[in-house]
Amino acid sequence: MRNSRIEVRPISGAGGAEIFGVDVAIDLDDGTVGEIRDALNEHCVVFFRDQEIDVAQHKAFARRFGPIFVHPNFATINEDPEVVMVRREPGDTSYVGELWHTDTTMVAEPPMGAILYGIDVPAYGGDTMFANQYLAYDALSPTMKKLLDGLRAVHSDIGTAGPHLGKNQGRSTKYRDDEGWRETRNLHPIVRSHPETGRKCLFVNASYTVGIEGMTAAEGKALLDFLLEHGNRPEFTFRFRWQKGSIAFWDNRSTKHIALGDTGPFRRLMRRVQIGGGVPV
Ligand code: SIN
């Protein structure tokens, strides 16, 4: 029997819903978890307020939705490979999530989702925006859909990690940048089918997608430039304002997101746990 305490309130027409009546540290019974999963599938991102969770509780909540995903560009440099502390200090010139992206798509099996917890939140600024990639796909013309059908894009972490970038000095959350680092590169369909809802969504992003299989660099760039911009059209987006103790849990298969850079004089500290996913098809 499902837990009737859960209340799901949509925050926009494009997606996102706040969930009330759940303490994610203790309400981990099958019924509650099933309802949260249903809400995630329907709204693409779910939010919780006023939660108090330590690292172990954060991981336990994540594990109810799948195995924890260990990020290859943080694992060897972080104290806990299963956790990324997403930190931004005043004056940082670069930070995690600064471009519209889907997380970690350079790997063969990108995470199905991530759970981000607000620890030290700016008085204002630093919202996270999301873009619904089902809507982005649905809005394409039949001709464009036909062109994309069967096309695969190249995803790489060449723009986010590695010693060539020289970005770590300006960012409080460091990525791997040692000489032993090697690029991770994989191909994924440009349009994927969501494994739980069966719906099609656009699956390219500005942080990791670097080209299109079978096209010249110029052709791939022209098509990608259009798709990336199209995927962030305002009517596909919704925005979350953080408070201390807030949680955003996003479906990494059907959304892109961006952390806004307007934190000004404020520190911003979040804790992120990612959940393993499968091969996009
Ligand atoms: C991320 O991209 O995983 C971080 C998003 C955020 O800090 O709002």
Side-chain angles (χ1 to χ4, degrees):
M1 177 141 162
R2 288 282 163 95
N3 185 330
S4 58
R5 285 176 306 157
I6 286 190
E7 190 193 339
V8 179
R9 276 189 225 155
I11 66 159
S12 83
E18 285 197 276
I19 293 186
F20 296 90
V22 176
D23 178 341
V24 306
I26 52 179
D27 296 328
L28 297 179
D29 57 279
D30 289 349
T32 305
V33 169
E35 285 200 356
I36 295 170
R37 189 181 276 279
D38 289 349
L40 186 67
N41 282 333
E42 184 174 350
H43 301 284
C44 299
V45 187
V46 292
F47 307 104
F48 303 83
R49 297 286 188 188
D50 303 318
Q51 303 289 319
E52 276 183 40
I53 49 168
D54 60 22
V55 175
Q57 289 164 329
H58 194 159
K59 289 189 198 180
F61 180 49
R63 281 201 186 96
R64 294 294 279 124
F65 297 89
I68 291 179
F69 175 89
V70 174
H71 196 302
N73 287 324
F74 294 110
T76 52
I77 55 174
N78 283 0
E79 197 181 311
D80 182 341
E82 294 183 328
V83 169
V84 176
M85 299 307 294
V86 177
R87 178 191 300 270
R88 208 187 306 171
E89 298 289 348
D92 277 4
T93 51
S94 179
Y95 58 89
V96 175
E98 63 197 349
L99 300 178
W100 274 109
H101 69 288
T102 301
D103 290 329
T104 331
T105 58
M106 74 289 186
V107 300
E109 298 188 17
M112 68 74 83
I115 299 176
L116 189 68
Y117 177 59
I119 295 174
D120 199 349
V121 172
Y124 51 83
D127 294 0
T128 306
M129 287 187 71
F130 298 88
N132 181 327
Q133 298 306 288
Y134 293 126
L135 297 183
Y137 175 75
D138 291 346
L140 295 170
S141 67
T143 306
M144 178 59 87
K145 286 178 180 165
K146 211 161 137 193
L147 172 70
L148 298 181
D149 191 28
L151 278 185
R152 296 194 300 174
V154 184
H155 294 245
S156 161
D157 55 359
I158 199 87
T160 58
H164 58 285
L165 273 185
K167 272 191 172 179
N168 269 354
Q169 221 176 359
R171 55 188 178 193
S172 298
T173 295
K174 314 286 186 204
Y175 288 66
R176 216 183 133 182
D177 68 349
D178 55 280
E179 291 300 329
W181 176 88
R182 292 290 173 272
E183 178 194 11
T184 301
R185 181 176 270 253
N186 276 285
L187 292 165
H188 297 304
I190 291 182
V191 177
R192 71 178 293 182
S193 290
H194 193 285
E196 292 181 73
T197 66
R199 291 181 64 191
K200 287 183 174 181
C201 42
L202 205 51
F203 194 65
V204 286
N205 71 88
S207 292
Y208 296 109
T209 314
V210 296
I212 296 181
E213 184 186 38
M215 288 191 172
T216 65
E219 290 167 345
K221 181 175 180 327
L223 183 52
L224 272 179
D225 282 351
F226 164 74
L227 293 174
L228 294 175
E229 199 59 34
H230 168 82
N232 316 332
R233 267 168 46 180
E235 62 270 36
F236 309 147
T237 68
F238 47 100
R239 178 172 181 148
F240 185 60
R241 179 150 198 204
W242 289 93
Q243 295 164 344
K244 183 177 163 59
S246 299
I247 287 176
F249 179 1
W250 58 86
D251 184 335
N252 198 51
R253 301 160 295 192
S254 61
T255 58
K256 296 196 288 187
H257 59 281
I258 185 170
L260 298 186
D262 58 345
T263 44
F266 303 112
R267 177 180 194 225
R268 183 179 184 273
L269 178 64
M270 329 290 272
R271 188 172 64 223
R272 188 181 77 182
V273 175
Q274 293 176 286
I275 303 160
V279 175
V281 289

